[in-house]
Amino acid sequence: GKTVRLSGWIHRKRDHGGLVFIDLRDHYGLTQLVISPETPGFATVERLRAESVIRIDGDVVARSPETVNANLPTGEVEVRVRTVEVLSEAAELPLPVFGEPEYPEELRLKHRYLDLRRETLHKNIVLRSKVIHSIRNRMIAQDFLEYQTPILTASSPEGARDFLVPSRLHPSKFYALPQAPQQFKQLLMVAGFDRYFQIAPCFRDEDLRADRSLEFYQLDVEMSFVTQEDVFAAIEPVMHGVFEEFGEGKTVTPYPFPRIPYRESISKYGSDKPDLRNPLVMQDVSERFRGGGFGLFARILEDSKNAVWAIPAPKGGSRAFCDRMNSWAQGEGQPGLGYIFWSEDQGAWGGPIAKNLGQEPTEALMSSLGLGQGDAAFFVAGLPATFAKFAGLARTRVGAELKLVDEEQFKFCWIVDFPMFEWSEEEKKVDFSHNPFSMPQGGLEALENQDPLTIRAYQYD
C-alpha cells in the first residue's frame, strides 16, 4: 500500500491484453510495473523501446500467489503505476542489454554505455568496489596506513617497458608512468612510516595476455623492520578473509599457506604460479631411461644436464586421449608428446615407449607414478630450463581434459626462494630475474663471493 516514486531504464516490456508490464531496472535491480490504459501517458509508454528512461509514481501491491517470482528480491510485489514521465526515449539499439547475448568486443567497446548496463558487468564492477573496501578495512585493522604515491615519475628498472609522457616544460624530456610504486614506498619506510599500503595503479607497456594488462591496480604493501614470515603473517589473513567473504561458499586454504621453493614448484608443476586445485604432480623419471630401454630418451640423457619428466594422467588410459594430447603438443610447437597408456584390448601397457621399454620395466615405472589400469602418463625430455614451461602447460591441459581440477575451492601457496639472477639469452648477460629491489639470501657476502646464478633472493609470490 506504500506510494513510491521510481526512476530507471525499461529492461523489458510485455503487453498482456491491455495491461502493460514493465521490468524497470536501476542500480539496485528490477521492479515490475503494471500500467493500465487509464494511466496518463499509457499510449506513450506503449511505443517506448527498451532502455528508454522513465519516472513513475505508483502504489506497491502484493502479487497474486501464482505470479510471485522467487528469483527476484522484489518478486513478491509490483507497482501499480498512477503517473509516468518519459525522461529519455531510446532509439533502436546497436546491441541489446536484456539477455546479454554475445556481441563482438569492438562493438561492445564502441557502445560501452550500453555494455556497462548488462547485469554481469554491473555486478563485476560493484564486486570490485566491495572487494577494495574489504581489503582496506582488513589492512587498516592491522595498523597499515594508505598513502598515495606520484603517477608522473622517472624511469626505474622494474622488469617491463615504461609508458612515457612528454614534458611540456622540459622539451625532449619525458616522465615515466610507474610500473609499481616500488621506490616511493621504500622512501616512506626510510622516512619512518612503518606500514604502508595502497590500491596502486600500475602501467606496463607489455604485450597483452589473459593475466597481463597495460594498466591494472594492485594491493601494494611495504613494512619496516620485518622478516619474510612477518610479511606472510600480515598478508595471509587478508587474502583468506577476502576470498572467504566473496568466494560464494568455496573453500579457501587456511593460513599459514604452504611454502613451496621456486625450484620445487618448477619441477613439480612447471610453473612458478601453480594451480594447486589440479592434483597432478610431475616427477623426474630420468633414471628409468638412462642407459637404454627407449633409445630416444637414452640419447637425450647422455648429456647430464638433460632430464625426462613424467606427467601422470589418471583415468586417461585411451589411445584417443593420448593422440589428442599429442596433437595439442604439436599445436604448441613441440615435435610431440611421449606417452604410455593402459590398453584394454591388449590387457597391457601400450604406446611406443612401453613397446621399447618392455612390460616389466613399464609396470615398475607406472607404479612409481601411482598409476595402474585405466591410466596413462606423458613424458617430456631435454633440458629442463627449456621444456619446463611446456611441461607445466601439458600438466594443466591433462588436468582440464580429465576434469581433475577442483573448481569449488581456492588453493593458495607462497612460492619462495626465487633466483636472484638469471642468464639472459637475448642480451647474453646475467640479469635480475625479477627486480633488483630484493635482499639476496646470504647478504653482501653472497653477492661478493657466490656464482650469481646460484644466489637466491628473499623474493616470494
Side-chain angles (χ1 to χ4, degrees):
K2 200 171 186 179
T3 299
V4 296
R5 167 171 286 185
L6 300 178
S7 301
W9 290 261
I10 296 177
H11 188 64
R12 194 165 58 134
K13 187 174 68 172
R14 307 175 300 285
D15 193 331
H16 286 186
L19 292 177
V20 171
F21 291 83
I22 289 177
D23 290 337
L24 189 71
R25 187 188 72 249
D26 62 10
H27 172 73
Y28 304 97
L30 298 174
T31 305
Q32 180 169 284
L33 311 180
V34 183
I35 305 178
S36 65
E38 295 76 30
T39 303
F42 176 83
T44 302
V45 169
E46 265 197 316
R47 64 176 173 76
L48 288 178
R49 293 187 174 92
E51 297 307 304
S52 295
V53 185
I54 60 174
R55 178 165 58 220
I56 65 94
D57 293 297
D59 303 314
V60 180
V61 297
R63 294 196 195 189
S64 58
E66 66 274 11
T67 62
V68 168
N69 186 346
N71 296 321
L72 280 182
T74 59
E76 294 183 352
V77 298
E78 59 190 16
V79 178
R80 297 293 173 93
V81 176
R82 287 196 275 122
T83 63
V84 58
E85 178 184 357
V86 178
L87 301 180
S88 178
E89 184 172 347
E92 186 174 348
L93 300 176
L95 72 160
V97 174
F98 172 71
E100 300 195 35
E102 284 297 320
Y103 270 74
E105 188 175 70
E106 184 179 348
L107 185 64
R108 291 174 56 193
L109 291 174
K110 181 178 180 181
H111 302 283
R112 190 65 167 166
Y113 63 96
L114 288 175
D115 196 37
L116 288 173
R117 295 181 191 177
R118 296 181 174 209
E119 184 180 11
T120 300
L121 274 181
H122 188 271
K123 282 185 174 178
N124 286 347
I125 291 172
V126 171
L127 174 63
R128 181 182 186 276
S129 176
K130 290 179 178 178
V131 167
I132 289 174
H133 180 71
S134 178
I135 289 172
R136 281 198 169 102
N137 287 344
R138 294 172 192 278
M139 295 300 289
I140 291 169
Q142 293 193 67
D143 295 326
F144 284 86
L145 293 177
E146 185 172 12
Y147 304 102
Q148 278 69 46
T149 53
I151 295 298
L152 294 176
T153 181
S155 181
S156 65
E158 295 274 359
R161 297 184 190 88
D162 291 316
F163 277 110
L164 300 178
V165 180
S167 168
R168 179 182 62 84
L169 296 177
H170 307 281
S172 77
K173 303 289 185 181
F174 295 83
Y175 298 104
L177 301 182
Q179 294 182 38
Q182 187 74 43
Q183 292 179 313
F184 295 116
K185 67 183 181 182
Q186 290 177 332
L187 279 172
L188 287 170
M189 296 305 101
V190 172
F193 286 88
D194 195 52
R195 290 190 166 208
Y196 144 95
F197 86 97
Q198 181 184 185
I199 309 297
C202 303
F203 307 89
R204 299 183 181 181
D205 188 5
E206 298 180 304
D207 295 335
L208 296 175
R209 62 187 192 206
D211 62 348
R212 181 177 290 172
S213 178
L214 303 178
E215 175 185 355
F216 61 91
Y217 286 76
Q218 67 182 28
L219 171 60
D220 201 59
V221 181
E222 193 63 88
M223 304 165 68
S224 294
F225 307 112
V226 292
T227 66
Q228 180 171 283
E229 287 298 321
D230 292 325
V231 177
F232 292 172
I235 296 301
E236 286 172 350
V238 175
M239 296 296 293
H240 181 275
V242 167
F243 275 79
E244 199 169 53
E245 182 179 353
F246 299 102
E248 299 180 337
K250 295 182 180 181
T251 59
V252 184
T253 305
Y255 53 89
F257 299 157
R259 275 74 160 150
I260 303 175
Y262 172 83
R263 295 191 189 283
E264 180 184 332
S265 182
I266 296 297
S267 64
K268 286 185 175 181
Y269 312 111
S271 170
D272 60 5
K273 43 182 180 292
D275 184 353
L276 298 183
R277 300 173 305 166
N278 180 348
L280 300 181
V281 176
M282 301 188 296
Q283 291 187 35
D284 186 331
V285 293
S286 303
E287 295 308 313
R288 301 278 178 177
F289 295 97
R290 201 179 302 280
F294 187 56
L296 175 61
F297 287 177
R299 287 192 297 274
I300 289 173
L301 291 171
E302 289 174 2
D303 186 336
S304 61
K305 294 179 181 177
N306 290 341
V308 178
W309 290 3
I311 306 160
K315 307 306 177 189
S318 75
R319 184 177 292 277
F321 176 63
C322 292
D323 288 344
R324 195 159 70 245
M325 285 297 300
N326 197 47
S327 297
W328 167 82
Q330 291 170 348
E332 292 290 316
Q334 302 295 320
L337 193 60
Y339 58 82
I340 296 173
F341 71 97
W342 178 261
S343 172
E344 291 289 351
D345 295 340
Q346 301 174 20
W349 295 108
I353 296 176
K355 183 178 179 181
N356 284 270
L357 202 58
Q359 282 298 307
E360 193 172 321
T362 300
E363 176 63 36
L365 167 61
M366 299 300 275
S367 294
S368 73
L369 296 172
L371 301 172
Q373 293 186 18
D375 298 334
F378 297 92
F379 301 87
V380 289
L383 186 64
T386 302
F387 71 63
K389 182 178 179 181
F390 167 71
L393 292 174
R395 170 186 173 268
T396 299
R397 183 79 177 193
V398 171
E401 287 276 336
L402 298 179
K403 295 181 169 48
L404 301 175
V405 179
D406 183 356
E407 297 183 350
E408 292 306 309
Q409 62 175 321
F410 297 105
K411 294 201 77 169
F412 289 109
C413 70
W414 291 102
I415 306 299
V416 298
D417 299 340
F418 276 78
M420 186 82 182
F421 302 98
E422 64 184 3
W423 175 256
S424 171
E425 194 61 41
E426 186 179 319
E427 299 185 19
K428 303 297 181 186
K429 68 173 186 177
V430 173
D431 204 353
F432 293 103
S433 62
H434 185 54
N435 69 47
F437 305 107
S438 302
M439 180 188 293
Q441 296 185 21
L444 187 59
E445 182 181 344
L447 288 177
E448 291 178 339
N449 299 315
Q450 274 185 236
D451 177 350
L453 296 179
T454 67
I455 299 174
R456 293 177 299 176
Y458 286 110
Q459 291 180 351
Y460 35 87
D461 208 352

